[in-house]
Amino acid sequence: MTTTMANISAAQVKELREKTGAPMMDCKNALTESKGDIEAAIVHLRKRGIATAAKKASRVTSEGSVVSYIHAGGKIGVLLEVNCESDFVARTDDFKELIHDIAMHIAASDPKFVRREDVTASDFDREKDIYRSQAAATGKPANVVDKIVEGKMAKFYEEVCLLDQPFIKDQTISVSQLIATKIGKLGENISVRRFARFKVGDVGETIAITKPAGEAEGKEG
């Protein structure tokens, strides 16, 4: 029997809302689309959030907040700026929860850059040369070597770029997907502007700043 909105129970909607934070009607629609399957509905909402984020990506984010996060024991500290479109959204609990979660993630995962576009040409070239030499040493054909290098570079980005990293509290999504979900819920573009990470005993610190549009260094994939 086809599942309709009328067949979706309030308990199902409540459960999905608690798991995703999505608006009530969006939860109902997602459950209807997934025929009452909670996990499929979560995937549906994530895809919807990413699609919404893509549509809003070009919108200017001139408001936002700076948050600090000190890891338990006071050994690691993070300063983070996340931007949105309005001061109203910046003051919401959802936005505050998001920037706290991102700051906590940075403390735990130690990214070096915000986005792929921010990776310096020297870092990119160094890693790609290493991976190409390793792959070539296997004696495999050139086209296979290229595929190996491509896969290794994707893994490199996942290790060093904040937005590519699996979110520390839910490894099934990336930080960029976490942000996309909030964009879908709050209806505004949200972007990570910059962060600094300090660890007791480390020489120096990590400071990452998103390059303005048009200033990202050109790199091949």
Side-chain angles (χ1 to χ4, degrees):
M1 183 174 68
T2 303
T3 303
T4 65
M5 192 169 289
N7 300 134
I8 301 300
S9 71
Q12 286 175 296
V13 175
K14 183 174 183 290
E15 181 183 354
L16 183 58
R17 180 170 169 76
E18 288 174 351
K19 285 186 174 184
T20 65
M24 195 78 71
M25 189 53 68
D26 287 347
C27 289
K28 279 187 176 181
N29 290 334
L31 283 164
T32 302
E33 288 286 335
S34 62
K35 297 179 172 57
D37 185 320
I38 292 287
E39 294 305 316
I42 291 172
V43 171
H44 176 84
L45 287 170
R46 284 179 180 169
K47 287 179 178 178
R48 183 177 181 279
I50 292 168
T52 301
K55 290 178 183 177
K56 298 181 184 298
S58 63
R59 286 164 50 166
V60 176
T61 52
S62 56
E63 294 292 339
S65 295
V66 173
V67 66
S68 61
Y69 176 82
I70 306 299
H71 194 61
K75 299 295 186 181
I76 300 174
V78 171
L79 273 176
L80 167 71
E81 178 183 347
V82 179
N83 298 140
C84 56
E85 296 178 44
S86 70
D87 184 56
F88 172 78
V89 163
R91 289 185 279 108
T92 62
D93 289 340
D94 280 306
F95 187 81
K96 291 175 182 177
E97 177 187 45
L98 174 65
I99 59 176
H100 175 270
D101 280 348
I102 295 174
M104 181 186 65
H105 173 95
I106 292 168
S109 298
D110 193 20
K112 304 302 182 187
F113 306 95
V114 177
R115 310 168 304 160
R116 293 186 179 199
E117 295 88 341
D118 302 324
V119 175
T120 63
S122 59
D123 283 322
F124 175 87
D125 291 339
R126 182 192 66 245
E127 294 301 315
K128 192 168 185 178
D129 285 345
I130 290 171
Y131 298 144
R132 186 167 293 283
S133 296
Q134 291 173 344
T138 65
K140 289 183 169 60
N143 63 319
V144 176
V145 168
D146 288 342
K147 287 293 183 183
I148 292 173
V149 173
E150 184 180 331
K152 293 265 191 182
M153 288 306 298
K155 185 65 177 174
F156 167 69
Y157 285 133
E158 188 177 298
E159 290 173 355
V160 302
C161 299
L162 171 65
L163 298 187
D164 281 81
Q165 290 183 329
F167 177 43
I168 194 69
K169 289 170 68 175
D170 181 357
Q171 299 281 306
T172 66
I173 63 172
S174 65
V175 173
S176 64
Q177 288 171 325
L178 170 72
I179 294 171
T181 299
K182 290 294 186 182
I183 291 173
K185 181 178 182 182
L186 295 171
E188 286 194 4
N189 191 19
I190 297 171
S191 59
V192 176
R193 173 74 179 99
R194 52 189 165 180
F195 67 82
R197 181 183 184 274
F198 305 86
K199 182 179 180 181
V200 172
D202 274 4
V203 177
E205 65 287 319
T206 297
I207 297 177
I209 301 174
T210 301
K211 295 173 185 174
E215 290 188 16
E217 297 186 43
K219 298 183 289 292
E220 295 178 4

